[in-house]
């Protein structure tokens, strides 16, 4: 309670009356502050390292979206693409750890209203995690709040321009709103089917990821 806190502070100050004891008390307080700053820096370094590792893994998965190699049958190429998209979806759902992934997956068994509230809480807790935003956008679309779904899908695209699910969601939302020009514009940004255009699209997305990795490397260096 307040009395106990004041008593503790009074007793602490009583022991800091002489010059020597004052210096000792000041040193203790500075040590406490320094340890707090050190812990904060360590946490930041750990977060940056985790984000970098995740981005490196995601880059590998995005590169696999190029599909089959030259001369491969269309069926085999399509199988490779399917495996790559599944791997990316799995990666996206687990970017904040297994506990967060499980929380996200459990929402599939909840009513839409409960799922929306839970997704909003996850987004507040993990503001840089794209997948809860993507799922919330889908729920908003399903509930008829299409304009809000567009805003949410755009937020996903800001985080991950290669998020093929969000691109499709934006396109469908604009169709629903009757914005056919915007729908066509987003359709042009979608991941192409197999072929040379798919490779060019993947190359562009890899460049964005490389830029992101460079920023993470720079932040990691300055935090050391």
């Amino acid at each position: 309670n307040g009395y106990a806190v004041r008593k503790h502070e009074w007793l602490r100050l009583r022991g800091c009356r002489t010059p020597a004891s004052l210096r000792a008390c000041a040193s203790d307080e500075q040590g406490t502050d320094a340890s707090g700053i050190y812990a904060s820096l360590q946490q930041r370094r750990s977060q940056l390292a985790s984000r970098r590792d995740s981005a490196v893994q995601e880059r590998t998965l995005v590169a696999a979206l190029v599909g089959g190699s030259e001369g491969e049958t269309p069926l085999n190429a399509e199988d490779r693409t399917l495996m790559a998209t599944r791997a990316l979806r799995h990666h996206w759902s687990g970017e904040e750890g297994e506990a967060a992934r499980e929380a996200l997956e459990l929402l599939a068994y909840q009513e839409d209203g409960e799922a929306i509230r839970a997704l909003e809480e996850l987004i507040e807790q993990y503001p840089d995690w794209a997948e809860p935003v993507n799922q919330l956008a889908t729920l908003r679309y399903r509930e008829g709040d299409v304009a809000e779904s567009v805003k949410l899908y755009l937020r996903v695209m800001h985080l991950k321009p290669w998020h093929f699910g969000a691109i499709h969601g934006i396109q469908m939302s604009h169709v629903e709103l009757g914005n056919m020009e915007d729908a066509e514009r987003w359709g042009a940004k979608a991941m192409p089917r197999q072929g040379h255009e798919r490779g060019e699209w993947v190359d562009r997305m890899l460049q964005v990821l490389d830029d992101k990795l460079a920023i993470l490397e720079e932040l990691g260096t300055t935090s050391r």
Side-chain angles (χ1 to χ4, degrees):
N1 55 34
Y3 170 76
V5 171
R6 289 193 299 273
K7 182 180 178 182
H8 173 78
E9 182 65 13
W10 177 75
L11 289 172
R12 186 186 71 82
L13 289 174
R14 280 195 65 190
C16 298
R17 287 185 295 182
T18 67
S21 60
L22 281 169
R23 284 194 295 271
C25 289
S27 177
D28 288 343
E29 290 180 355
Q30 289 172 0
T32 301
D33 291 343
S35 63
I37 293 171
Y38 177 76
S40 178
L41 285 173
Q42 287 294 94
Q43 183 181 18
R44 175 173 169 77
R45 288 171 186 164
S46 177
Q47 290 173 342
L48 287 171
S50 177
R51 292 193 184 284
R52 182 192 177 282
D53 291 344
S54 179
V56 169
Q57 182 182 2
E58 188 164 9
R59 190 191 188 285
T60 301
L61 296 172
V62 170
L65 289 173
V66 75
S69 57
E70 187 175 351
E72 193 171 21
T73 65
L75 182 60
N76 287 340
E78 196 63 34
D79 286 344
R80 284 180 180 272
T81 298
L82 183 60
M83 291 173 61
T85 55
R86 284 177 176 172
L88 261 176
R89 291 184 188 279
H90 183 75
H91 174 80
W92 290 336
S93 67
E95 285 184 299
E96 294 295 343
E98 286 304 312
R101 183 204 300 276
E102 290 176 7
L104 190 63
E105 291 175 347
L106 285 173
L107 300 182
Y109 304 98
Q110 295 184 8
E111 298 293 333
D112 283 358
E114 294 177 354
I116 285 173
R117 287 190 293 273
L119 284 168
E120 288 173 341
E121 290 177 3
L122 283 173
I123 291 167
E124 184 177 357
Q125 186 176 359
Y126 304 104
D128 295 325
W129 190 14
E131 200 52 30
V133 183
N134 182 60
Q135 292 194 19
L136 181 58
T138 302
L139 282 177
R140 291 298 189 191
Y141 176 89
R142 199 159 69 194
E143 287 202 329
D145 193 353
V146 183
E148 180 63 20
S149 75
V150 170
K151 294 178 183 177
L152 291 165
Y153 282 130
L154 286 172
R155 180 173 171 180
V156 177
M157 294 303 299
H158 176 73
L159 293 168
K160 297 183 183 296
W162 50 89
H163 198 299
F164 43 80
I167 296 176
H168 178 71
I170 293 176
Q171 186 181 11
M172 295 303 297
S173 296
H174 280 302
V175 169
E176 186 70 20
L177 292 169
N179 302 332
M180 301 312 297
E181 287 187 9
D182 287 331
E184 290 178 6
R185 179 168 59 87
W186 280 102
K189 294 183 179 183
M191 181 173 65
R193 298 186 67 82
Q194 300 297 331
H196 182 66
E197 291 182 349
R198 167 73 73 87
E200 291 181 341
W201 184 89
V202 169
D203 286 342
R204 289 197 301 273
M205 297 303 106
L206 291 178
Q207 183 58 59
V208 176
L209 266 164
D210 286 341
D211 292 343
K212 178 180 179 179
L213 278 167
I215 293 171
L216 288 172
E217 287 283 2
E218 183 179 351
L219 289 173
T221 301
T222 56
S223 68
R224 290 171 190 165

